[in-house]
Amino acid sequence: MRGKLILENGMSFEGKIFGELGETVGEIGFNTGMTGYQEILTDPSNCGQMVVMTYPMIGNYGINIEDMESTKVQVRALIIKEDAKLPNNFRCEMTLDGFLRQYNVTGFKGIDTRYLTQIIRDNGAMKAIITAEDLTKKEIQERFDRFSNREAVAEVSTKEIYEIVNEGKRVGVLDLGVKNSTLNYMKEKGFNVVVFPYNTKAEEILAQNLDALVISNGPGNPENLSETIEEIKKLAGKIAIFGEVLGEQVIALAFGGKVERLKYGHRGGYPVKNLETGKVIITSQNTGYVVSEAPEGFEVTHQGVNVKTIEGIKNEALKICGVQYMPDLYRDSNDVFENFLKLV
C-alpha cells in the first residue's frame, strides 16, 4: 500500500507500507548494523522507536523464533530500502513481512534510507509518522503531541519477580528492558538468575541474598527513572553492581554524574577503547543517551574512538561498574562483563 513517512522537521517521503497496513507514530533513529534485524526488532531498548536500517536490503535470511530478544516486536516501525521476498537460510521460519504482520507492526520501504540517515544526522532524533492518509498540518501536529515514550521502561519490564534456576551463585537482574541474550549468557555461565521489575525496592532486592546485581539495558530517558535511581542509591556498598547501557546511565545519575541526550543516538557497531588495556573493540550499541560526566569517585574505564564519549565507569570501593554497550553479545567486547562475573 502506498504511504508517506512524515518527519517532525516537515520533510516527507513517499514509499510503500508493508507488514501491518496501518498508521503509526514514534521517534525515528537509524541503525548501522549490516545484520541482526530480528534482534533489533525485538530488543526492548527499541520500544517506541521507528528504526531506519542503513543496509539496503533487509530480510535476506528470514526470521526464526530462537533469536527473539523478547516476547514480541518492540519497535513502532521498521524503515528499509528493500525487503527480501525469498529469504534463504536453513533456520528461516518466516519472512520479514509475515513477522511484522504477526505482531501488528508497520514497515515502510522503497525510499533512500541512507539519505534519510543523513537527514537524521544533521537534524537529530525527531518524531515521525507513517500513514496512508493525507493529513493536514494540524492533524500531523496532534499525532506528534500525543506520542510519549516516558513509560517505555514500565511497558517492557517484567511485572513480577521470577527466577532462572541454576547451580551457581545468585545474581539479580533489575529489568529495565533486559534482552534474552543477556539472561541466556548468564545462564550459560551457570548463575542462578533472579529477575526483578524496574520499580523493585532496594529492601526486596537485598532480601534475596544475592551475590551481585546487574542493572539491564532498556529504552528511553534515564532521567525519567527517578524512583529506580533512588533505590540504587540505597544499594551502594551493600552489593556488587554492574550496569549495561541504560543501567550504566542510571548508576551515573544515582551517584551524582550527568547524562545527556545524543543528537541522533548510537545504534549499531561502534569502536570503543579500553583505557586500562589500550585495546580497541567493536561494540554493539543501542541508546539515545550517554554519560556526559562521571560521578565523583568513579573512574572512566572506556572511551569512544570516533567520538570521545564516556563508554565505561567504575568505582572499586563500592564494587560498581558499567558500560555504554552490550557486553554479552560479542566475545571480543565482553571482557568487562566477564571480569565482573568472575569476581562474583
Side-chain angles (χ1 to χ4, degrees), residues 29-61:
F30 60 87
N31 191 297
T32 58
M34 295 175 65
T35 184
Y37 52 83
Q38 181 174 341
E39 290 83 352
I40 292 165
L41 287 169
T42 57
D43 182 351
S45 295
N46 281 325
C47 178
Q49 295 289 315
M50 303 173 78
V51 177
V52 180
M53 299 298 297
T54 60
Y55 193 72
M57 179 176 277
I58 300 297
N60 309 59
Y61 51 86

Side-chain angles (χ1 to χ4, degrees), residues 324-343:
Q324 176 76 3
Y325 55 87
M326 292 303 303
D328 51 292
L329 296 180
Y330 301 114
R331 300 307 180 199
D332 63 344
S333 69
N334 69 0
D335 56 331
V336 65
F337 198 33
E338 280 276 356
N339 291 340
F340 177 78
L341 296 177
K342 285 176 183 177
L343 283 175

